[in-house]
Amino acid sequence: MNASRFSIKYIGLALLSCLVSAGVAAQPLQGSYFLESVSLRHQLNPALMPDRAYFTIPALGNISFNASSNLGYTTFIYPSTGEKLNTFLSPAVSAADFDKKLRDWNSVNVNFDISILSFGFFKWNGFNTFDISVHGSTSTSLPGDLFRFLKSGQQGEVTRYDLKNVSVSATSYAEVALGHSHEVNDQWTVGAKLKGLFGLGEANAHFDRLTLTMAEDQWKVESYGTADLSLAGAELKLKKDREISGLDYSTDRMGLAGGGAGIDLGVTYSPVQNLVLSLALTDVGFITWGKNLRGATPEGEYIYEGFTGIGSDDYINENGESRNTLDDQVDDLKDDLEALFKFRETEAPSKRTTWLAPTLTFGAEYQLLKNHISVGLLSTTHFYSNNTQTSLMGSVQFKALHCLGLSINGTVSNLAHSFGAVLSLGPLFIGADISTMTVSPEYIPLGDLAAAFNFGLSVPLGKNPKLKKAKTANTISE
């Protein structure tokens, strides 16, 4: 059995690398939530108003990227004697030490956003916005048993690994949005944003059933997985038996692959002076896809009952290669197992619908020194199709000057903790969140991954009329 153990691990590693590499709202960083000088903070909560109208620089109004994962560099790489490092598969790394760094579910999420055009203005007792943007996201979910199998293989008389719900999902779409935030009174502000969604592409792969039972006398593998792709101009490359070997893409047939709609909702409430509470539910929506392709793995099980002829004499095969019976059986096992993970073209639905990844946000801000300084607490939950990411951010804002705003924050999360800063300086907005300052000599982060970068340029226009009235009233009273 040991001779075949490495073959199965290679298959598992190949599956893992395919899932992680399969890939991928323009929103500013969460650290800008309490900064009124950030023009696009209404994209975090449609009830939030900036202190000025604005017009973004086309294609430069907001560019953001963020990645998060509870799988870090040190989960897989370990120190050793000398200058070399050990991977988690090394015998020098114990299974117990490796298992301590694993969760039952391990997630990797990546998002990018580009604002093509955005502007906002004050009218009708509120703030009105128009946005055109492009969004992309990738979410991957991997069970801990996948890594335990790669590390340990068979342990004891019977070992069972449950690998179902291994999944990866990637979506890209364009968005046109109209928003309005309305001041009901001095305490309440409500906001909503309606979105038209234009699907550029979507792909997902998911194993509904994937189990491996390893006993002394036999191994049993059960599997069934499906993969969907929606992309205009795409065609599957097929081998014999309709096995999918790749993808062809024709730019002559490129275009939209689907369409849908979405909505953002938000509210702010000030129960007492200087305290502002807020709630938002954003990216609630769907896209119906019409350019669909689908593949599926064979549904069934494979049972292997052991090697025979161990120690037999070598022989020369028809290709002139030196072989023996054990080599042949190892290759047969590898071929049979690989077949369980190969996708074959199957009939795709004419239409299918996927949901956006909505975000639920709770905020609380207490303002000091006439709001020149404030402290804030922000809870955020992202509902991806295959995992949920939650975080709690504490921040301090410095807002002494209209053209200058600074937020410093720290965040704890179920994936990775981070700290960061956001600077708003006139038309420039820039910020970053990172999980750790400890890196390898190759500048690879050594802890769980949390990295976000944000840049934007906008032209500030007229001031909020409410601020003008307040300033005038203060001048008269003086």
Side-chain angles (χ1 to χ4, degrees), residues 357-385:
T359 300
L360 180 65
T361 304
F362 296 92
E365 180 187 25
Y366 192 79
Q367 302 167 348
L368 305 167
L369 302 177
K370 297 183 179 180
N371 199 23
H372 291 319
I373 298 177
S374 74
V375 293
L377 197 63
L378 187 68
S379 169
T380 305
T381 304
H382 299 282
F383 299 95
Y384 295 99
S385 61

Side-chain angles (χ1 to χ4, degrees), residues 51-230:
D51 55 14
R52 285 180 176 270
Y54 72 92
F55 180 90
T56 61
I57 304 299
L60 295 176
N62 185 65
I63 300 173
S64 68
F65 169 86
N66 71 75
S68 57
S69 174
N70 56 4
L71 289 173
Y73 180 81
T74 53
T75 303
F76 302 103
I77 304 298
Y78 294 79
S80 66
T81 57
E83 297 181 355
K84 295 183 178 180
L85 298 173
N86 289 325
T87 70
F88 72 100
L89 295 175
S90 170
V93 179
S94 72
D97 289 340
F98 177 60
D99 193 63
K100 290 178 182 177
K101 297 188 177 183
L102 288 177
R103 283 81 164 179
D104 288 336
W105 290 102
N106 304 273
S107 302
V108 181
N109 300 317
V110 179
N111 300 274
F112 72 87
D113 306 283
I114 300 176
S115 176
I116 306 300
L117 177 65
S118 180
F119 62 84
F121 60 94
F122 294 95
K123 194 70 173 178
W124 307 301
N125 197 34
F127 190 69
N128 309 276
T129 60
F130 174 81
D131 299 276
I132 301 176
S133 53
V134 176
H135 308 257
S137 66
T138 298
S139 60
T140 303
S141 181
L142 305 171
D145 268 6
L146 175 62
F147 302 99
R148 296 183 184 102
F149 158 63
L150 296 175
K151 173 61 180 174
S152 302
Q154 183 176 344
Q155 297 289 310
E157 294 183 359
V158 179
T159 305
R160 186 177 187 274
Y161 294 101
D162 187 354
L163 311 179
K164 70 177 180 181
N165 293 328
V166 171
S167 65
V168 61
S169 177
T171 304
S172 180
Y173 62 93
E175 174 185 295
V176 177
L178 291 172
H180 176 73
S181 55
H182 191 80
E183 294 181 325
V184 179
N185 52 43
D186 290 338
Q187 289 184 300
W188 290 92
T189 299
V190 296
K193 186 174 294 186
L194 299 178
K195 303 178 177 182
L197 308 178
F198 304 90
L200 304 176
E202 197 275 344
N204 68 76
H206 180 268
F207 278 88
D208 298 299
R209 183 167 63 258
L210 185 56
T211 61
L212 172 61
T213 304
M214 309 174 75
E216 293 296 330
D217 57 341
Q218 69 172 218
W219 291 350
K220 181 172 72 172
V221 180
E222 300 175 273
S223 75
Y224 178 67
T226 58
D228 287 289
L229 173 67
S230 300

